[in-house]
Each structure stands twice: as C-alpha cells, then as structure tokens.
Amino acid sequence: MNESGKIHYRSKVVALLITLVCLCSCSERLIFEGEGDCGVYYHIRFKYDYNMKFADAFANEVNSVELYVFDDNNILVDKVKVDDKESLSSGTFEIKLEPKAGDYQLLALGGMSDETSFDLLPETKLGETTLEEMQVRMHREYDYNGNAFIENDLLPLFHGTLPLNVTAEEGTYTETISLTKNTNVIRIMLQEMVDEEIDADKFIFEITDQSGLYAYDNTRLEDETITFKPWSITTGTADIDDPNDGKGKKSSVAVALAEHTIGRMVPEQSPILTIKNRESGEAILTLPIADYALLTKGFYNQGMSDQEFLDRQDEYTLAFFLYGGEWLSSMIYINSWQVIINDEDL
C-alpha cells in the first residue's frame, strides 16, 4: 500500500472512530442521564409566588403535584403524579418530559393527593380524556334534606396552566408553571369587651357559596349551594393592660374563634357569612366576605385587579365585638388593614 493509500485508510478509520465515540457518548447520556443533545427534553418546574408576599412558597405549601399534558387536539397524552414530600420540598423539584414536536397545553394541580378534600372529574384516560372535561370538585356531604355542606379543613388546592410549543430542535429546555391557590381560611372571632365569659355555643357560624366546582382554566362552574361549617371552634381569654391605671392593673377579654376553609372567591359571587342565634335561629349578622375583603386593598394594592387581590390573599380574620352579649361593632382584619363596621342591621 502506497503512502497516499495509507493516509486515506487512516482517515476512514479516524472518521469511523469519531462517529462511534459520538454515538456512544449520546447513548451513555441517554442511559445514565436520560437526556442529551440527541433528543428533546423539558424540565417542568413549579412556583407559587402568586401571594401577598410575592415570594415562592411552593416548597413549603404544596404537598403533591399532578401534571397533565394535552396535545393540539386537547387530548390527554401524558400524566405524572408526585406526592413525595421530600422531593417537593427540596427547592429543586421538577418533572421531566420527553415530548414529540407539537403544541401542548399543560395543566398542573397541587394538593389533590388527599381525596377527602377534592375529586378530579372524570377518571383520566390517555388518548381519550379531553382538556374541557377536566374538572375539580370540592368533596361535600349532604344532610337529611339533601343540602350540601362541608365541615372539614380543606387541604390547600393549587392550579396552573402553561402552553408549550415543542420543536424538533434537540436539547434540554426548562419551563415554569405558576400556581394559584384556590382555598381560603376564614377566621371568625367574637370578642367580649366586658370581663365575662363568652359562650360560643350560643351562635351558629355559616358561610354559603354557590360553587365548589372548577373548570380546567380555574373558572368557577355552575354548582349547588354549599354551606361551610366551622371545622374548629375554640374559646379562651387574654389579659390586657388597663391604660387608665398606672399600677399595672389588668383586665381580661373573652374570645371565641370559629375557623372555616372555603374555595376560590370572585368579586361577583361573594360567599356570604351568616351568624345566627342558636336558640332562636335568627340571623344576627349577614356579610358578603369578598366584597368587604376588597375594601382592605389599600393604597399599595390599588394596582391589583380585584380578582388578583382575592387570589393572592388566602387568610382572613373577621372580628366582631360584643358588650355584655350585645353586638358592639365589627372589624375585618386582613394583614394590617382593617374595616370597621358599626351598622347593627348588617
């Protein structure tokens, strides 16, 4: 073999070796890392910073995630469920997908692992279930008259969507789904202003709402009226200093606290709080919670829409004051803001 023939032969060998190295390198990445330049890979991350702190609380608040992938015909093509709390709270949690080229719609639901709070309708089937069919239904019970009620503490429910356009260009990509919290804790506090005990059993605390059913886009769907009963009622006393006494004299105030958990609020369909006299059944107070909550948006939140404020805020304390068992005044505390209500005919 002449010199030129040897060089040509060596060039072929080198080219073949380079090809084999590339193939092996790609193969090793696929086997050991599950991704590489030889395919299309998406890392789907999640955040929950749609709150009043504007800080990501996903790792602390979300205890399960269900991710549903729908194709351009809105047909379910993939789903992943994760309820490993260690992974979810790690601060680096993500779900890895290997989608084919195309347009997709991702739907994420958080907090669905406890089936005593929310149900997913219908039972999902790959290749059959459509995006429009996806609904989340608040689990409820019925009394002997057929009226729906909920008296347990609903676990936090989170919702998020993301459109995803996948091309055939190989590589690893990262996308983030922002979540909205759909549950709200409502605390009803009765405070007696004179030095005597308060009997919480004299009162019935109820919140009624017209929907516990949510569509795939998180809108509230037509539903039956649901009565939310308190899942906790506690009483206690607290000592306070008498500002008119220079000798450190203290007096005590009695407090009763009723706690409810309700669903997503919208301005046009405010849940109604009713406090009744248990003995007579008479309604002592009726109040639209969302309407009064929006009065506390304040100066710094005026740039928010009403819906954004209600979605970001998830805890409300409503304080009502008694004097010798008679209604004195009322306040709604949300963060540091308050609304004072002196109308006895509310």
Side-chain angles (χ1 to χ4, degrees), residues 243-267:
N244 299 317
D245 183 86
K247 299 179 180 180
K249 180 181 179 182
K250 294 182 180 293
S251 60
S252 62
V253 295
V255 173
L257 184 68
E259 299 183 79
H260 306 69
T261 305
I262 65 173
R264 188 184 189 212
M265 293 195 290
V266 297

Side-chain angles (χ1 to χ4, degrees), residues 214-262:
Y214 306 98
Y216 69 93
D217 59 357
N218 212 26
T219 56
R220 289 165 38 122
L221 297 173
E222 184 176 350
D223 195 11
E224 61 193 339
T225 300
I226 302 174
T227 298
F228 295 85
K229 301 180 180 183
W231 48 264
S232 174
I233 297 179
T234 56
T235 58
T237 59
D239 292 332
I240 58 174
D241 294 325
D242 187 344
N244 299 317
D245 183 86
K247 299 179 180 180
K249 180 181 179 182
K250 294 182 180 293
S251 60
S252 62
V253 295
V255 173
L257 184 68
E259 299 183 79
H260 306 69
T261 305
I262 65 173

Side-chain angles (χ1 to χ4, degrees), residues 138-143 146-152 224 226:
M138 197 177 291
H139 188 75
R140 73 284 307 261
E141 300 179 66
Y142 295 89
D143 61 22
N147 299 314
F149 70 92
I150 295 173
E151 58 183 354
N152 58 295
E224 61 193 339
I226 302 174

Side-chain angles (χ1 to χ4, degrees), residues 130-164:
T130 66
L131 179 61
E132 292 77 9
E133 290 177 312
M134 298 289 284
Q135 296 179 3
V136 174
R137 184 178 185 269
M138 197 177 291
H139 188 75
R140 73 284 307 261
E141 300 179 66
Y142 295 89
D143 61 22
Y144 59 88
N145 290 321
N147 299 314
F149 70 92
I150 295 173
E151 58 183 354
N152 58 295
D153 181 14
L154 299 172
L155 288 184
L157 173 67
F158 298 87
H159 171 277
T161 58
L162 178 73
L164 189 67

Side-chain angles (χ1 to χ4, degrees), residues 36-42 169-173:
D37 294 335
C38 303
V40 180
Y41 307 93
Y42 274 83
E169 185 174 351
E170 297 174 346
T172 299
Y173 306 90

